[in-house]
């Protein structure tokens, strides 16, 4: 079923116009203290607590339409599958990593990898982090939102949204992004709080939710089972290697600001998940035919009056734009500072900034191409990102937490082989009708049988256990194995 177009009245257009004027004014009015790369990419490492919290919270919800898609698939289980793991890993980050990241002279993950493992590891790590940071999900969200009220072709909406959204990065860098994030942060909470209160005032919560036909959506795990929950839990480790997360912690005005900001951010994430999941549950209860990325836009069209409709729309759009800007900057910096400048030592600040701006353009172009070709944000969360996280998780954590250095050659090959295996596994799953890489374990007369959950071989199986392996776990296993072998060989040689 095609989602209905949003129809805006005069009050809606007034709200929309004021929002765009405010967001562009904040972005383009930035005045940097100096023209250094540090100021451009890390706000001079002077990010205050309000800007830190606002930009970090927004960073995690830029692909806001993916929450609606997830609730339509997993119901209230979305909170367990895609909420709680990230709270826990963010707290782990605050406890064990935030002080070390902020106190370190390095402001990026590749820079730290270079210090601990050398240039080759830094370069391969930078390439993978670029792939992780490309704002594909955010470009897709913006495109869907623009299409929801214009009716234009998706590809055109994606291009318009990305070009306008990333335009003020050229001048202001991270500080421009952080200022826009503050407005987007306020709008995000105001808009979702407004629609949640509207729903609660007009439709009794429990009575309405109980009408949902698929009762799996009312289960704590979305009907997936404990093993499935555990298998997706580890994807929350994304927090530990996310370059945007790292950038904000490294840019905070002090270690205390970063640690305190992380705890506050977790509280805000929890509150927003309550608002966004409740809203999506209302949407699928009242309008069950609307699915996927259209859940929030279509629901607001059906339920909100003029004025509030645009307010909700701006909350979603501002969040997506702010996060797109953040990841476009990170992607551009990864190309300019971490790849080009690392491959060509001796580049001055102006050359690095030039290549960073070129990198932003490349990242936006890649995001546009990918966003036009995909339809699922949840798929990006669980598949592509998992391949990068599995390859980098151990080397990055060890670079900050381990006093004794890992063997650099082993680290390089662990990253390369881990990513290669994970991507091969992802391709295998898609070519065998199992995009979520689920395995089905069952007992037979001959013993334990393991098959792809959606394969034809699974047809006669009546009972068993399904678990999503994903791309992260195979990659993480290979990474750990290669590093362990490399460490063991190095010790044997040192004692020979």
């Amino acid at each position: 079923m095609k989602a209905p177009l949003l129809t805006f009245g005069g009050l809606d257009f007034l709200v929309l116009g004021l929002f765009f004027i405010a967001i562009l004014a904040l972005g383009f009015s930035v005045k940097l203290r100096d023209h250094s790369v540090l100021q451009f990419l890390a706000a001079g490492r002077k990010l205050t607590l309000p800007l830190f919290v606002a930009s970090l919270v927004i960073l995690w919800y830029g692909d806001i339409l993916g929450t609606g898609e997830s609730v339509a698939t997993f119901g209230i289980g979305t909170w367990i599958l895609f909420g709680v793991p990230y709270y826990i890993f963010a707290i782990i980050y605050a406890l064990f990593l935030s002080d070390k990241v902020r106190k370190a002279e390095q402001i990026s993950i590749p820079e730290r990898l270079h210090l601990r493992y050398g240039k080759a590891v830094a370069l391969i790590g930078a390439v993978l982090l670029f792939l992780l940071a490309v704002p594909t999900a955010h470009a897709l969200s913006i495109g869907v939102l623009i299409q929801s009220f214009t009716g234009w072709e998706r590809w055109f909406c994606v291009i318009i949204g990305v070009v306008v959204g990333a335009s003020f990065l050229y001048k202001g860098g991270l500080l421009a992004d952080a200022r826009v994030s503050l407005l987007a942060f306020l709008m995000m909470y105001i808009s979702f709080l407004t629609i949640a209160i509207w729903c609660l005032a007009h439709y009794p919560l429990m009575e309405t939710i109980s009408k949902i036909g698929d009762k799996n959506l009312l289960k704590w795990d979305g009907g997936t089972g404990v093993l499935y929950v555990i298998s997706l839990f580890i994807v929350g480790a994304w927090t530990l290697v996310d370059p945007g997360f790292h950038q904000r912690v490294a840019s905070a005005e002090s270690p205390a600001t970063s640690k305190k900001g992380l705890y506050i951010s977790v509280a805000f994430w929890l509150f927003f998940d309550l608002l966004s999941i409740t809203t999506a549950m209302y949407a699928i209860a009242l309008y069950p035919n609307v699915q996927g990325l259209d859940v929030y836009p279509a629901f607001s069209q059906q339920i909100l009056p003029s004025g509030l409709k645009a307010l909700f729309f701006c909350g979603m759009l501002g969040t997506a734009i702010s996060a797109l800007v953040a990841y476009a900057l990170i992607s551009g910096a990864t190309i300019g500072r971490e790849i080009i400048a690392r491959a060509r030592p001796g580049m001055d600040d102006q050359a690095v900034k030039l290549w960073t701006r070129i990198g932003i353009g490349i990242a936006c172009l890649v995001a546009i191409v990918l966003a036009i070709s995909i339809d699922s944000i949840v798929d990006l969360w669980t598949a592509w990102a998992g391949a990068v996280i599995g390859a980098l998780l151990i080397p990055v954590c060890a670079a900050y937490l381990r006093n004794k250095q890992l063997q650099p050659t082993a680290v390089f090959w662990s990253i390369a082989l881990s990513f290669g295996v994970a991507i091969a596994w992802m391709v295998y799953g898609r070519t065998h009708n199992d995009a979520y890489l689920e395995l089905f374990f069952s007992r037979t007369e001959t013993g334990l049988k393991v098959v792809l959950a959606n394969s034809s071989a699974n047809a006669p199986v009546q009972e068993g256990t399904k678990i999503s392996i994903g791309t992260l776990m195979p990659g993480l296993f290979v990474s750990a194995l290669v590093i362990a072998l490399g460490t063991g060989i190095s010790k044997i040689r040192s004692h020979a």
Side-chain angles (χ1 to χ4, degrees):
M1 175 181 176
K2 184 175 178 58
L5 284 176
L6 288 171
T7 53
F8 285 165
L11 187 56
D12 290 306
F13 282 112
L14 176 62
V15 172
L16 194 62
L18 291 174
F19 174 74
F20 270 107
I21 290 172
I23 204 169
L24 292 176
L26 283 171
F28 283 111
S29 64
V30 168
K31 293 182 179 179
L32 301 181
R33 292 189 180 93
D34 56 61
H35 298 286
S36 66
V37 171
L38 181 65
Q39 180 66 37
F40 187 73
L41 298 180
R45 306 193 85 170
K46 297 293 184 181
L47 212 58
T48 62
L49 183 63
L51 290 178
F52 177 88
V53 172
S55 61
L56 190 63
V57 170
I58 286 290
L59 195 72
W60 240 227
Y61 290 104
D63 43 9
I64 181 63
L65 299 188
T67 302
E69 178 191 357
S70 178
V71 173
T73 305
F74 302 107
I76 61 175
T78 295
W79 186 65
I80 296 295
L81 296 171
F82 298 108
V84 173
Y86 295 90
Y87 311 156
I88 293 175
F89 279 106
I91 291 172
I92 291 173
Y93 197 112
L95 290 173
F96 300 106
L97 280 171
S98 63
D99 282 350
K100 292 179 172 61
V101 169
R102 179 55 186 86
K103 290 177 180 177
E105 294 182 2
Q106 303 79 40
I107 63 171
S108 71
I109 291 175
E111 195 175 3
R112 184 69 177 189
L113 294 178
H114 194 162
L115 176 70
R116 297 304 300 272
Y117 310 122
K119 182 176 179 179
V121 172
L123 285 173
I124 192 173
V127 171
L128 295 195
L129 287 169
F130 171 79
L131 297 177
L132 184 65
V134 168
T136 303
H138 315 96
L140 178 58
S141 292
I142 294 171
V144 170
L145 288 169
I146 295 176
Q147 185 183 39
S148 71
F149 79 94
T150 63
W152 298 339
E153 292 293 327
R154 175 75 59 81
W155 65 269
F156 184 67
C157 295
V158 169
I159 292 173
I160 292 296
V162 171
V163 171
V164 173
S167 58
F168 52 75
L169 265 182
Y170 185 83
K171 176 184 177 184
L174 178 61
L175 188 57
D177 169 41
R179 282 159 57 94
V180 170
S181 293
L182 191 57
L183 174 62
F185 173 86
L186 294 173
M187 288 295 296
M188 182 176 85
Y189 280 92
I190 291 171
S191 62
F192 273 86
L193 185 60
T194 298
I195 194 171
I197 291 175
W198 182 274
C199 290
L200 290 169
H202 291 81
Y203 304 95
L205 177 61
M206 299 310 298
E207 179 183 334
T208 304
I209 299 302
S210 65
K211 295 177 181 178
I212 293 176
D214 184 356
K215 299 307 177 185
N216 280 330
L217 300 181
L218 303 179
K219 297 179 179 179
W220 71 275
D221 60 352
T224 59
V226 175
L227 290 178
Y228 196 99
V229 171
I230 293 173
S231 66
L232 286 186
F233 179 88
I234 196 172
V235 178
W238 185 334
T239 304
L240 304 181
V241 298
D242 183 83
F245 206 93
H246 186 282
Q247 181 194 38
R248 274 143 182 78
V249 172
S251 302
E253 61 182 356
S254 70
T257 296
S258 64
K259 185 182 290 288
K260 183 178 180 180
L262 286 170
Y263 293 136
I264 295 173
S265 296
V266 170
F268 274 112
W269 289 338
L270 174 60
F271 180 48
F272 187 74
D273 281 340
L274 175 64
L275 296 176
S276 59
I277 293 174
T278 298
T279 300
M281 291 297 287
Y282 266 113
I284 60 178
L286 296 172
Y287 303 99
N289 291 327
V290 178
Q291 299 290 318
L293 300 177
D294 294 317
V295 169
Y296 289 134
F299 184 51
S300 65
Q301 167 63 23
Q302 297 288 346
I303 201 171
L304 291 178
S306 180
L308 293 184
K309 192 186 302 181
L311 181 68
F312 184 65
F313 179 85
C314 289
M316 293 186 292
L317 185 62
T319 303
I321 288 176
S322 181
L324 177 137
V325 168
Y327 280 110
L329 176 62
I330 294 163
S331 301
T334 301
I335 289 179
R337 185 173 185 266
E338 311 303 343
I339 297 178
I340 301 298
R342 201 172 301 282
R344 298 168 58 185
M347 287 176 58
D348 60 25
D349 270 13
Q350 291 306 309
V352 173
K353 287 174 66 176
L354 173 61
W355 275 106
T356 295
R357 290 180 172 123
I358 293 173
I360 290 171
I362 294 172
C364 287
L365 180 61
V366 173
I368 288 170
V369 172
L370 293 177
I372 291 171
S373 63
I374 64 173
D375 294 305
S376 172
I377 290 175
V378 174
D379 196 19
L380 285 173
W381 292 345
T382 57
W384 178 258
V388 177
I389 298 164
L392 292 177
L393 185 59
I394 295 176
V396 170
C397 289
Y400 283 100
L401 299 176
R402 183 181 168 90
N403 291 326
K404 189 174 181 180
Q405 181 175 300
L406 297 175
Q407 212 285 326
T409 302
V411 172
F412 175 88
W413 284 109
S414 76
I415 294 174
L417 293 175
S418 172
F419 183 71
V421 168
I423 291 298
W425 175 234
M426 183 180 73
V427 171
Y428 179 82
R430 278 155 175 70
T431 56
H432 287 74
N433 195 32
D434 188 17
Y436 287 97
L437 299 166
E438 297 170 343
L439 296 183
F440 195 93
F441 294 79
S442 63
R443 289 286 182 182
T444 66
E445 294 181 356
T446 57
L448 181 66
K449 183 177 184 180
V450 183
V451 296
L452 284 168
N454 295 328
S455 67
S456 58
N458 189 40
V461 177
Q462 300 297 319
E463 297 181 357
T465 301
K466 183 172 68 173
I467 179 172
S468 173
I469 299 299
T471 54
L472 191 153
M473 286 194 286
L476 190 59
F477 174 78
V478 171
S479 174
L481 180 62
V482 174
I483 288 175
L485 288 174
T487 302
I489 292 173
S490 178
K491 287 182 178 180
I492 291 172
R493 287 178 175 175
S494 65
H495 289 89

